[in-house]
Amino acid sequence: MIAALAPEGPAGSVRPAGGVPEGVILRLQSLRFVAAALVLVGHTLMEMVQHNLDEGALAAAQGVPWGIGVDIFFVISGFIITTASIQRPSTPGAVGDFLLHRIVRVWPTYAFFTALMVAATLAVPSFLKHARLDPQHIVASLTFVPWPRPDDGRYYPLLGQGWTLNYEMFFYVSFAVVLFLPARFRVLALWVGGMALIAAGQLFALPQPLAFYAHPVIAEFLFGVALSVGYRRLPGSPMLGLGLITAAIVFLSLVPVDTEVPSRALFAGIPAAAIVAGVLLLGQRGERVLGGRLPVLLGNASYALYLSHTFVVNAVLWVMMRIFHPVPPMLFLAVAFVGASVVSIVAYRLVEQPALRLLKPRVRALRWRTD
């Protein structure tokens, strides 16, 4: 869910575009938008089913594993964090600085949309599937603590898609822990620790929230870690990159993928890793194709899109249900997609960027005081 801040080095340096910081791999920024867009389409189709709309020509789309957008996000996150931070010094100041920057990057926008969900739950509870508020659940949601939802006991935060951020923050904390080790042992420690936790979760009935963190989906971050290690050792190969992307898409079209089961890490995580690897292998040709201002801007706004799209989809559905009888499914999907994309750019400009500009200098000042 974070910006693709992964320097390519002199041989693969890129020219920043669309307000992106120097060193960003632009093609990964664009891939982040693709990932968020997949989740957006999947959630739009879910709303259609929930409200008993005529799916028509979109019926076949229900079987597409749209949730793989989340798996792509996880792999990208593992890649970026490892590439950008694996060589940090083993000092409390450096580790604390890492964690503070990650929190500043993730929390303000998430808190904003969580607060908006509280307001929506109070205002239009009849239009929401999960409309019960509980103070403990709200606090846990805002602090990335897995907590049972008050209406069904499932471990989702108030802003449903925020479940992925609980895993994201767990990965950040795990990464911060291994930063205390010598640099040459850090990747190995991440892999050994992650796989041991997954094995324990499969073999034993772990208590919560440990059982939540032991889900095999955390292996997808490790796939990104592995890609980061191998990335600089492999020459760019657009043909190989296209081959990996094509193979992943063919696999996903032929093999049923259930993103709700533990096997998700294999049947969705490995294709997601292949797609990320393929995009990386596209090299500078990929930068020229995917590094335009619009795709990069959409990539920059992908975190806001991921967090905000459910509000837009529900708002569009509410309006269209009062205009059309029945709602035209293709029109609803198109309006929801375009509307959510536009709102994400607005949220990126008016919420995410101002929060970062406000908080980043304060984080640097705190670092200087604690060093």
Side-chain angles (χ1 to χ4, degrees), residues 4 18 24 82 167 302 338:
V24 169
T82 304
Y167 285 114
S302 60
V338 174

Side-chain angles (χ1 to χ4, degrees), residues 110-242:
Y110 175 64
F112 174 84
F113 284 108
T114 297
L116 196 59
M117 181 58 75
V118 172
T121 304
L122 293 172
V124 287
S126 61
F127 204 70
L128 302 177
K129 186 176 182 180
H130 304 283
R132 286 182 56 188
L133 293 177
D134 174 76
Q136 289 179 309
H137 185 235
I138 294 173
V139 172
S141 297
L142 287 169
T143 54
F144 305 108
V145 175
W147 199 267
R149 196 160 49 190
D151 60 343
D152 62 5
R154 299 184 70 186
Y155 279 76
Y156 283 90
L158 183 62
L159 185 64
Q161 59 267 40
W163 69 269
T164 62
L165 296 179
N166 290 345
Y167 285 114
E168 193 87 25
M169 292 304 299
F170 177 71
F171 175 65
Y172 294 161
V173 172
S174 302
F175 196 93
V177 171
V178 304
L179 288 179
F180 287 107
L181 298 175
R184 64 182 181 277
F185 297 129
R186 291 172 180 173
V187 168
L188 179 62
L190 280 171
W191 265 87
V192 171
M195 298 310 293
L197 180 59
I198 291 171
Q202 297 302 300
L203 295 174
F204 307 106
L206 300 177
Q208 292 290 1
L210 194 58
F212 178 89
Y213 294 131
H215 194 286
V217 76
I218 65 172
E220 295 175 357
F221 292 98
L222 302 180
F223 297 160
V225 172
L227 284 180
S228 176
V229 173
Y231 175 55
R232 292 180 181 277
R233 301 177 185 179
L234 294 175
S237 175
M239 291 301 296
L240 178 58
L242 288 173

Side-chain angles (χ1 to χ4, degrees), residues 34-72:
V34 172
L38 290 170
V39 176
L40 163 60
V41 173
H43 283 174
T44 304
L45 294 173
M46 288 171 58
E47 289 297 328
M48 292 171 61
V49 172
Q50 180 183 335
H51 289 87
N52 300 312
L53 301 182
D54 179 15
E55 298 155 35
L58 297 178
Q62 299 291 344
V64 175
W66 302 103
I68 196 174
V70 167
D71 308 276
I72 293 172

